[in-house]
Amino acid sequence: MIAKISSGKDTAGLIRYLYGPGRANEHTDPHLVASFDGFAPDPGRADDPATTRKLLVADLDLHVKQARRLGRAPERHVWHCSIRAAETDRHLSDEEWAGIARRIVAATGIAPEGDPDGCRWVAVRHADDHIHIAATKVRGDLRPARHWNDYLTADKELAAIEKEYGLQQVVRGDRTAAKRPTRAETEKARRAGHEMTARERLRYTVRTAVSVAASPEEFLGILAATDSVLVEIQRFPSGDIRGYKIAIEGDTNKAGGPVWYSGSKLAPNLSYPQIRDRLTATDQPAQTTGQHRHAPWQQATAAAEHIPDRLDQADDAAAQAHIAAFGEALDALPLLVPKEIRPQLRLAAAAFERATRSRIRAKHEHARALRGAVRAMRSEPAPHDGALLAMFLDVAILAVIAAGRWHQLRHHDQQVIAARQALVHLQAAYDQAATVPLAALAHRKPPAPTVERLVALAYEAVPAHAQQILDDHAWAALSTALADAEAAGHQPATLLKQAVAQRPLDDARSPARALTWRVQRLTQRPVQQAAGVSKLRRLPAARRGTAPHRSCS
């Protein structure tokens, strides 16, 4: 069950709406199911509905008028709570809805149980799946109602009601989700021919700017240079930046001015102070010279590859920072990849955005390497052969699986769902990106004698997985990767053992494909470094603190 709570100042207007036909004639048989004293007049069952509505409004407003004469009535004296059941729930009876309404007004402080001075309220039903509670926020002793945190207390009570009534148990959040578009915003976007509302479009714009900016100043500069976007910088008297507002050109309010959104109104982590903290905690990755200097895509892949291990450690604040930084990497990817892959990556980034936030405060300095590598990727779009992009997406899939598991262990239900949704789109993008480079590797399949030697080597090096690998359609690509590594001075048997030891292959969709990218990543490191990493990954899970992650490549 979902509750929506709002305040207003027109009791008569709310009652008129509840007993009216609705905006689209969706109200059927409006009638009272419960009230503050059990005797409130019901316009839905009266011979003269108009007169009865006035009597009902007068009953609800009695204490408001008394308090107003004393100068003690709140300006927004109307409390409105709608409660909706899930589509799959059974239809509740009027008596059941009445019981739910009484529990909600008691839990929220509108009319505490056993309090004779509770506020006046009524519950109106005009559809099978929901009710509306209308109340006035002045108690019988003419004091204002104590209904602080009413949304949270109502939600907690509804969670208990769902269990007791055998209804669908709604996934509840932790108040870190971005605000959903209102009905008015959605209808406005539809009339303008846009798939997303202005709020959603601006959220995407800001997230993308954060993902590629190297400093708070550059972030604001990117926003200011974005087509059709208006930006207003807010400053303290000292001249320091306090925040920013953003609007879409042409999106106007009733007065004809721009509809402004502050960063915090777009999402909790898009306020200027939070963006400044993230960007100032980022150092560009150190650049090395010589034969082992890594390109930006290789740096980003290496940083993302470590995310599962980072999430296995005990520092939740550092783990949250790595998840947030990885979300920024997904936001940046659509700017850097071939256009045919962009739609799935945009969907993956949009879905994973919810998984980047929780009540755990991130220590962003722990994610410097990944953030710095992502920003460096701007200078080098994905190579045309697609191999580096496929390798990055391969480790990105593991990172998303690890993030979902991390959230699940902490009971972050909404974030778990978001990670699962992102995984679907990321795997689709990976399948697209991997097709060409895998085909290119398979086309260069080594000569038959070399392949026969590699087959024997696979049975010797990884006997438990050999048949599974050899039966895979991607074996030709893997054999080429092993032959190339051997030509570069690596030992194929050692590489294969290291690649298998990195992650279990039990539920891999294509074990040979997963091993192909692992082998190629290992060959990009110095031989001693690759061996050291493999030794670390072969440590028992108990010594590393967690169970191993799964691969879906």
Side-chain angles (χ1 to χ4, degrees):
M1 285 185 153
I2 298 295
K4 292 185 178 180
I5 298 175
S6 60
S7 294
K9 46 181 149 181
D10 184 4
T11 308
L14 176 57
I15 295 300
R16 188 166 50 250
Y17 165 73
L18 296 181
Y19 280 95
R23 295 186 178 91
N25 294 314
E26 72 274 22
H27 295 179
T28 59
D29 187 25
H31 59 280
L32 215 65
V33 295
S35 66
F36 63 97
D37 63 357
F39 298 103
D42 183 5
R45 296 291 185 262
D47 296 331
D48 186 355
T51 300
T52 310
R53 277 201 304 269
K54 292 178 182 179
L55 293 174
L56 179 58
V57 171
D59 271 3
L60 292 173
D61 274 346
L62 176 63
H63 296 150
V64 176
K65 290 180 179 179
Q66 292 171 340
R68 188 171 290 149
R69 285 196 290 267
L70 299 175
R72 294 163 56 179
E75 180 183 1
R76 300 181 69 83
H77 64 271
V78 178
W79 187 84
H80 177 205
C81 175
S82 64
I83 304 172
R84 184 178 296 275
E87 291 183 1
T88 55
D89 286 338
R90 62 183 175 85
H91 288 173
L92 302 175
S93 67
D94 282 356
E95 290 73 21
E96 288 174 313
W97 277 120
I100 291 169
R102 293 188 187 97
R103 291 177 63 168
I104 293 302
V105 295
T108 56
I110 291 297
E113 188 175 1
D115 183 354
D117 287 322
C119 298
R120 296 193 162 200
W121 61 274
V122 294
V124 179
R125 182 180 189 180
H126 53 211
D128 289 331
D129 63 349
H130 70 279
I131 60 169
H132 292 261
I133 303 173
T136 46
K137 297 190 289 184
V138 178
R139 293 166 43 84
D141 53 15
L142 303 188
R143 290 186 298 163
R146 296 178 178 178
H147 62 101
W148 296 288
N149 289 325
D150 50 10
Y151 174 78
L152 293 180
T153 53
D155 195 55
K156 183 178 180 180
E157 188 66 22
L158 287 176
I161 289 170
E162 288 167 354
K163 293 180 181 179
E164 293 175 26
Y165 282 62
L167 306 176
Q168 178 180 325
Q169 296 184 33
V170 175
V171 174
R172 288 176 160 81
D174 53 7
R175 302 183 71 188
T176 61
K179 183 177 179 181
R180 293 181 179 179
T182 65
R183 180 173 179 175
E185 290 174 343
T186 302
E187 291 178 351
K188 187 177 182 181
R190 180 179 53 79
R191 290 194 301 269
H194 297 298
E195 293 184 3
M196 295 191 296
T197 64
R199 187 191 301 270
E200 292 170 317
R201 291 157 63 193
L202 289 173
R203 185 184 302 139
Y204 174 79
T205 298
V206 173
R207 281 174 29 222
T208 303
V210 172
S211 72
V212 297
S215 68
E217 295 75 19
E218 185 179 4
F219 160 71
L220 293 173
I222 292 172
L223 287 186
T226 304
D227 291 340
S228 303
V229 169
L230 305 175
V231 181
E232 184 177 296
I233 309 300
Q234 301 164 316
R235 298 182 181 273
F236 291 107
S238 63
D240 293 335
I241 297 175
R242 179 169 61 91
Y244 70 98
K245 294 192 301 183
I246 187 169
I248 292 179
E249 205 171 71
D251 181 31
T252 58
N253 54 31
K254 292 181 179 179
V259 180
W260 293 102
Y261 296 87
S262 64
S264 60
K265 293 297 183 182
L266 298 177
N269 63 338
L270 295 183
S271 68
Y272 181 75
Q274 291 214 32
I275 290 174
R276 180 192 58 213
D277 291 347
R278 288 152 69 182
L279 295 180
T280 53
T282 302
D283 291 336
Q284 291 292 339
Q287 297 293 322
T288 59
T289 58
Q291 60 178 336
H292 298 313
R293 176 177 178 174
H294 291 306
W297 279 86
Q298 294 165 316
Q299 289 176 336
T301 300
E305 189 176 13
H306 289 298
I307 289 176
D309 291 330
R310 300 285 189 266
L311 301 189
D312 280 347
Q313 297 171 11
D315 191 341
D316 278 2
Q320 180 63 59
H322 283 287
I323 293 174
F326 178 72
E328 293 173 19
L330 292 184
D331 288 336
L333 274 182
L335 304 175
L336 309 171
V337 302
K339 62 181 181 181
E340 61 270 15
I341 304 176
R342 293 173 190 168
Q344 289 294 344
L345 288 179
R346 287 196 183 101
L347 292 171
F352 193 75
E353 186 260 350
R354 178 65 189 98
T356 62
R357 292 188 302 275
S358 74
R359 302 294 289 180
I360 298 170
R361 187 175 180 85
K363 293 181 180 177
H364 294 293
E365 62 272 14
H366 290 280
R368 289 191 181 104
L370 178 57
R371 276 200 174 89
V374 171
R375 283 150 179 73
M377 286 163 62
R378 289 185 300 166
S379 62
E380 184 177 326
H384 294 301
D385 65 3
L388 289 180
L389 173 59
M391 275 192 281
F392 181 85
L393 294 180
D394 178 59
V395 300
I397 287 172
L398 295 176
V400 169
I401 293 172
R405 178 176 173 273
W406 185 84
H407 282 303
Q408 188 171 29
L409 291 173
R410 287 151 186 82
H411 306 290
H412 300 163
D413 296 336
Q414 289 186 348
Q415 290 88 334
V416 172
I417 292 173
R420 290 171 180 168
Q421 291 172 339
L423 183 62
V424 172
H425 299 298
L426 204 56
Q427 286 176 331
Y430 168 71
D431 289 339
Q432 287 180 274
T435 299
V436 172
L438 283 173
L441 285 171
H443 184 70
R444 296 193 297 106
K445 186 177 180 180
T450 303
V451 173
E452 291 175 4
R453 180 167 56 82
L454 291 174
V455 169
L457 180 150
Y459 278 110
E460 179 182 347
V462 286
H465 302 280
Q467 196 59 52
Q468 181 186 13
I469 294 169
L470 297 173
D471 290 342
D472 194 333
H473 66 278
W475 161 246
L478 176 57
S479 64
T480 303
L482 290 170
D484 289 347
E486 186 177 37
H490 293 268
Q491 294 294 325
T494 302
L495 284 177
L496 199 54
K497 289 179 182 179
Q498 291 172 356
V500 169
Q502 281 185 351
R503 294 283 183 269
L505 294 174
D506 299 341
D507 58 357
R509 294 183 298 162
S510 172
R513 183 170 63 172
L515 292 175
T516 298
W517 306 126
R518 296 181 196 178
V519 165
Q520 292 207 331
R521 290 197 297 273
L522 288 168
T523 58
Q524 292 172 357
R525 303 170 179 163
V527 175
Q528 295 84 352
Q529 178 187 355
V533 170
S534 176
K535 182 178 179 180
L536 173 64
R537 295 195 185 278
R538 287 198 303 272
L539 287 175
R543 291 179 61 186
R544 287 188 280 122
T546 62
H549 294 282
R550 298 293 182 184
S551 169
C552 287
S553 299

Coordinates of all heavy atoms in Angstrom, one line a residue, residues 507-539:
D507 N 27.8 -19.9 -13.3 CA 26.6 -19.3 -13.9 C 26.9 -18.4 -15.1 O 26.1 -17.6 -15.4 CB 25.7 -18.6 -12.9 CG 26.4 -17.5 -12.2 OD1 27.6 -17.3 -12.4 OD2 25.8 -16.8 -11.3
A508 N 28.1 -18.5 -15.6 CA 28.5 -17.6 -16.7 C 27.7 -18.1 -18.0 O 27.6 -19.2 -18.3 CB 30.0 -17.7 -17.0
R509 N 27.1 -17.1 -18.7 CA 26.4 -17.4 -19.9 C 27.3 -18.0 -21.0 O 26.9 -18.8 -21.8 CB 25.7 -16.2 -20.4 CG 24.6 -15.7 -19.5 CD 23.8 -14.5 -20.1 NE 24.8 -13.4 -20.3 CZ 24.5 -12.4 -21.1 NH1 23.4 -12.3 -21.8 NH2 25.4 -11.4 -21.3
S510 N 28.5 -17.5 -21.0 CA 29.5 -18.0 -22.0 C 30.9 -18.0 -21.3 O 31.6 -16.9 -21.2 CB 29.5 -17.1 -23.2 OG 30.6 -17.4 -24.0
P511 N 31.3 -19.1 -20.7 CA 32.5 -19.1 -19.9 C 33.8 -18.8 -20.8 O 34.7 -18.1 -20.3 CB 32.6 -20.5 -19.4 CG 31.6 -21.3 -20.2 CD 30.6 -20.4 -20.6
A512 N 33.8 -19.2 -22.0 CA 35.0 -18.9 -22.9 C 35.0 -17.4 -23.2 O 36.1 -16.8 -23.3 CB 34.9 -19.7 -24.2
R513 N 33.8 -16.8 -23.4 CA 33.8 -15.4 -23.6 C 34.3 -14.6 -22.4 O 35.1 -13.7 -22.6 CB 32.4 -14.9 -24.0 CG 32.3 -13.5 -24.4 CD 30.9 -13.1 -24.9 NE 29.8 -13.3 -24.0 CZ 28.6 -13.0 -24.2 NH1 28.2 -12.4 -25.4 NH2 27.6 -13.2 -23.3
A514 N 33.9 -15.0 -21.2 CA 34.3 -14.3 -20.0 C 35.8 -14.5 -19.9 O 36.5 -13.5 -19.5 CB 33.6 -14.9 -18.8
L515 N 36.3 -15.7 -20.1 CA 37.8 -15.9 -20.0 C 38.6 -15.2 -21.0 O 39.7 -14.8 -20.8 CB 38.1 -17.4 -20.1 CG 37.5 -18.2 -18.9 CD1 37.8 -19.7 -19.1 CD2 38.2 -17.8 -17.6
T516 N 38.0 -14.9 -22.2 CA 38.7 -14.2 -23.2 C 39.1 -12.8 -22.7 O 40.3 -12.4 -22.9 CB 37.9 -14.1 -24.5 OG1 37.6 -15.4 -25.0 CG2 38.6 -13.3 -25.6
W517 N 38.1 -12.1 -22.2 CA 38.4 -10.7 -21.7 C 39.3 -10.8 -20.4 O 40.2 -9.9 -20.3 CB 37.1 -10.0 -21.3 CG 36.2 -10.0 -22.5 CD1 34.9 -10.4 -22.5 CD2 36.4 -9.6 -23.8 NE1 34.3 -10.3 -23.7 CE2 35.2 -9.7 -24.6 CE3 37.5 -9.1 -24.5 CZ2 35.1 -9.4 -25.9 CZ3 37.4 -8.8 -25.9 CH2 36.2 -9.0 -26.5
R518 N 39.2 -11.8 -19.6 CA 40.1 -11.9 -18.4 C 41.5 -12.1 -18.9 O 42.5 -11.5 -18.3 CB 39.6 -13.0 -17.5 CG 38.3 -12.8 -16.9 CD 37.9 -14.0 -16.0 NE 36.5 -14.0 -15.7 CZ 35.9 -14.9 -14.9 NH1 36.7 -15.9 -14.4 NH2 34.6 -14.9 -14.6
V519 N 41.7 -13.0 -19.8 CA 43.1 -13.2 -20.4 C 43.6 -11.9 -21.0 O 44.8 -11.6 -20.7 CB 43.0 -14.4 -21.4 CG1 44.3 -14.4 -22.2 CG2 42.8 -15.7 -20.7
Q520 N 42.8 -11.2 -21.7 CA 43.4 -10.0 -22.4 C 43.7 -9.0 -21.3 O 44.7 -8.2 -21.5 CB 42.3 -9.5 -23.4 CG 42.2 -10.4 -24.6 CD 41.7 -9.6 -25.8 OE1 41.1 -8.6 -25.7 NE2 42.1 -10.1 -27.0
R521 N 42.9 -8.9 -20.3 CA 43.2 -7.9 -19.2 C 44.5 -8.3 -18.5 O 45.3 -7.4 -18.1 CB 42.0 -7.8 -18.2 CG 40.8 -7.1 -18.8 CD 39.9 -6.6 -17.7 NE 39.3 -7.7 -16.9 CZ 38.3 -8.4 -17.2 NH1 37.6 -8.2 -18.3 NH2 37.8 -9.4 -16.4
L522 N 44.7 -9.6 -18.2 CA 45.9 -10.0 -17.5 C 47.1 -9.8 -18.4 O 48.2 -9.4 -17.8 CB 45.7 -11.5 -17.2 CG 44.8 -11.9 -16.1 CD1 44.5 -13.4 -16.1 CD2 45.3 -11.4 -14.7
T523 N 47.0 -9.9 -19.7 CA 48.2 -9.7 -20.5 C 48.5 -8.2 -20.7 O 49.6 -7.9 -21.1 CB 47.9 -10.3 -21.9 OG1 46.8 -9.6 -22.5 CG2 47.7 -11.8 -21.9
Q524 N 47.6 -7.3 -20.3 CA 47.9 -5.9 -20.3 C 48.8 -5.4 -19.1 O 49.3 -4.3 -19.1 CB 46.6 -5.1 -20.3 CG 45.9 -5.2 -21.6 CD 44.5 -4.6 -21.6 OE1 44.1 -4.0 -20.6 NE2 43.8 -4.6 -22.7
R525 N 48.8 -6.3 -18.1 CA 49.6 -6.0 -16.9 C 51.0 -6.6 -17.0 O 51.3 -7.5 -17.7 CB 49.0 -6.6 -15.6 CG 47.5 -6.2 -15.4 CD 46.9 -7.0 -14.3 NE 45.5 -6.7 -14.1 CZ 44.7 -7.4 -13.4 NH1 45.1 -8.6 -13.0 NH2 43.5 -7.0 -13.2
P526 N 51.9 -6.0 -16.2 CA 53.2 -6.7 -16.1 C 53.0 -8.1 -15.6 O 52.1 -8.3 -14.8 CB 54.0 -5.8 -15.1 CG 53.3 -4.5 -15.1 CD 51.9 -4.7 -15.5
V527 N 53.9 -9.0 -16.0 CA 53.7 -10.4 -15.6 C 53.7 -10.6 -14.1 O 52.8 -11.3 -13.6 CB 54.8 -11.3 -16.2 CG1 54.7 -12.7 -15.8 CG2 54.8 -11.2 -17.7
Q528 N 54.6 -9.9 -13.4 CA 54.6 -10.1 -11.9 C 53.3 -9.6 -11.3 O 52.8 -10.1 -10.3 CB 55.8 -9.4 -11.3 CG 57.2 -9.9 -11.8 CD 57.6 -9.4 -13.1 OE1 56.9 -8.6 -13.8 NE2 58.8 -9.7 -13.5
Q529 N 52.8 -8.4 -11.8 CA 51.6 -7.9 -11.2 C 50.4 -8.8 -11.4 O 49.6 -9.0 -10.5 CB 51.3 -6.5 -11.8 CG 50.0 -5.9 -11.3 CD 49.6 -4.6 -12.1 OE1 50.4 -4.2 -12.9 NE2 48.5 -4.1 -11.8
A530 N 50.3 -9.4 -12.6 CA 49.2 -10.3 -12.9 C 49.2 -11.5 -12.0 O 48.2 -11.9 -11.5 CB 49.2 -10.7 -14.4
A531 N 50.4 -12.0 -11.7 CA 50.5 -13.2 -10.8 C 50.1 -12.8 -9.4 O 49.5 -13.6 -8.7 CB 52.0 -13.7 -10.9
G532 N 50.5 -11.6 -9.0 CA 50.2 -11.2 -7.6 C 48.7 -11.0 -7.4 O 48.1 -11.4 -6.4
V533 N 48.0 -10.4 -8.4 CA 46.6 -10.3 -8.3 C 45.9 -11.6 -8.3 O 44.9 -11.8 -7.5 CB 46.0 -9.4 -9.5 CG1 44.5 -9.4 -9.5 CG2 46.6 -8.0 -9.4
S534 N 46.4 -12.5 -9.1 CA 45.7 -13.9 -9.1 C 45.9 -14.5 -7.8 O 45.0 -15.2 -7.3 CB 46.4 -14.7 -10.2 OG 45.9 -16.0 -10.2
K535 N 47.1 -14.4 -7.2 CA 47.3 -15.0 -5.9 C 46.3 -14.5 -4.8 O 45.7 -15.2 -4.0 CB 48.7 -14.7 -5.4 CG 49.1 -15.4 -4.1 CD 50.5 -15.1 -3.7 CE 50.9 -15.8 -2.4 NZ 52.3 -15.5 -2.0
L536 N 46.1 -13.1 -4.9 CA 45.1 -12.5 -4.0 C 43.7 -13.1 -4.2 O 43.0 -13.4 -3.2 CB 45.1 -11.0 -4.2 CG 44.0 -10.2 -3.4 CD1 44.2 -10.4 -1.9 CD2 44.0 -8.7 -3.8
R537 N 43.3 -13.2 -5.4 CA 41.9 -13.7 -5.7 C 41.8 -15.1 -5.4 O 40.6 -15.6 -5.1 CB 41.6 -13.4 -7.2 CG 41.5 -12.0 -7.6 CD 40.8 -11.8 -8.9 NE 40.9 -10.5 -9.4 CZ 40.0 -9.5 -9.0 NH1 39.1 -9.8 -8.1 NH2 40.1 -8.3 -9.5
R538 N 42.9 -15.9 -5.3 CA 42.8 -17.3 -4.9 C 42.7 -17.5 -3.4 O 42.5 -18.7 -3.0 CB 43.9 -18.1 -5.5 CG 43.9 -18.3 -7.0 CD 44.8 -19.4 -7.5 NE 46.2 -19.2 -7.1 CZ 47.1 -18.5 -7.8 NH1 46.7 -18.0 -8.9 NH2 48.3 -18.4 -7.4
L539 N 42.8 -16.5 -2.6 CA 42.7 -16.6 -1.2 C 41.3 -17.1 -0.9 O 40.3 -16.7 -1.5 CB 42.9 -15.3 -0.5 CG 44.4 -14.8 -0.4 CD1 44.5 -13.4 0.2 CD2 45.3 -15.8 0.4

